Amino acid sequence: MMSQLHLMTTGKQRPDILEQLLPELALSVDRIHLREPLWSAKELVVCIETLVRRGVKTEQLIVHDRLDVAVVTGTGVQLTTRSMPVDLVRHRFPELVIGQSVHSLTEAIAAEQAGADYVLYGHIFETGSKPGVPPRGLDALKQVVDWTSIPVIAIGGITPDNLPDILATGCAGGAVLSGILGQASPVEAANRFQAVMQR
C-alpha cells in the first residue's frame, strides 16, 4: 500500500480560509482531517458541503470526534480519548471509516480489537502542540506497527526531513498540522511531503 499523507487542520483558520485552501491541498494530500473542536456541527457540515462542491472527495475527509457530522455527511470519523468507544460506533455504523487516536501500544491493540480501521499514533517527535511532553520516538512507533495489523498513521513533529525515518518503521503514513497549514505556502509544503512519500 502506498504511504498516505494526512493533513490535520489546526483550529487556527477560519472556515472561509479553509474552504479556499483545502480544495487545492486535496490534490497533494490523501486525507484531510477537520480537527475543529470549537466549531458547531452546523459549521462543520457547511464546510464539508462547500469542500465537496469545490472538488474534494467525500472519502478524503475525516471529522474529529463528531460522529453526528460524519454520519450525516458521509465522511470518516476520528475518535479520540474523549469520544464514544470504537466498538459501539462500529456496531451501530458498520460501513463508517473509523480512526482512533492512540498514545500507547496497549491502546493501539485495543483499538484494533474494537474495530478501528486505522490508528493515529503519536506524538513521535517534539512538537509545539505538546510542549514539555516527551515524544514517543521511532522505536515505540515501530513496536505499534509490528504488533497491530491495521494501518498506523504517525503524528507529531513530522517534517519532510524526518519523514523517511517515519516510513522506514513500516507505518502507513504521516499526519501533519502546522508543517503544512502553518507555512507561508501550504501547497508547496504539502508537495515537499508528497515528494518524499513517492520516493
Side-chain angles (χ1 to χ4, degrees):
M1 188 182 82
M2 288 283 291
S3 299
Q4 289 193 336
L5 180 59
H6 288 228
L7 170 64
M8 323 278 284
T9 65
T10 60
K12 294 177 180 167
Q13 275 101 358
R14 297 196 318 266
D16 59 321
I17 302 291
L18 290 177
E19 287 162 7
Q20 291 292 330
L21 197 51
L22 293 179
E24 198 174 355
L25 282 168
L27 303 173
S28 305
V29 304
D30 301 289
R31 296 282 183 275
I32 295 171
H33 294 243
L34 292 171
R35 188 184 190 182
E36 298 293 337
L38 301 180
W39 291 12
S40 67
K42 183 176 182 180
E43 285 171 315
L44 282 164
V45 169
V46 168
C47 182
I48 289 164
E49 288 175 342
T50 304
L51 292 175
V52 170
R53 211 167 44 244
R54 292 178 180 175
V56 180
K57 298 186 185 80
T58 306
E59 56 268 26
Q60 271 185 287
L61 293 167
I62 297 169
V63 180
H64 274 238
D65 192 39
R66 293 303 300 261
L67 176 62
D68 51 349
V69 173
V71 169
V72 166
T73 58
T75 65
V77 68
Q78 180 71 32
L79 301 176
T80 69
T81 48
R82 297 169 48 233
S83 305
M84 283 176 255
V86 174
D87 52 358
L88 193 63
V89 176
R90 173 58 70 214
H91 177 68
R92 290 300 305 271
F93 303 100
E95 302 303 312
L96 195 65
V97 173
I98 303 171
Q100 173 73 51
S101 299
V102 299
H103 304 94
S104 69
L105 175 58
T106 309
E107 288 180 6
I109 291 170
E112 178 175 5
Q113 290 172 343
D117 292 297
Y118 68 92
V119 292
L120 194 65
Y121 174 75
H123 59 292
I124 309 304
F125 301 113
E126 285 191 23
T127 168
S129 59
K130 304 262 187 192
V133 182
R136 289 173 172 84
L138 291 166
D139 290 344
L141 172 61
K142 178 87 170 75
Q143 200 177 29
V144 171
V145 171
D146 288 347
W147 283 85
T148 54
S149 57
I150 55 174
V152 178
I153 304 294
I155 187 169
I158 298 174
T159 66
D161 291 337
N162 63 34
L163 184 57
D165 294 334
I166 288 276
L167 299 177
T169 66
C171 75
V176 181
L177 288 91
S178 55
I180 293 176
L181 283 174
Q183 305 305 303
S185 172
V187 173
E188 276 178 31
N191 288 337
R192 280 196 293 274
F193 279 99
Q194 200 56 258
V196 177
M197 290 280 186
Q198 291 171 2
R199 273 182 204 158

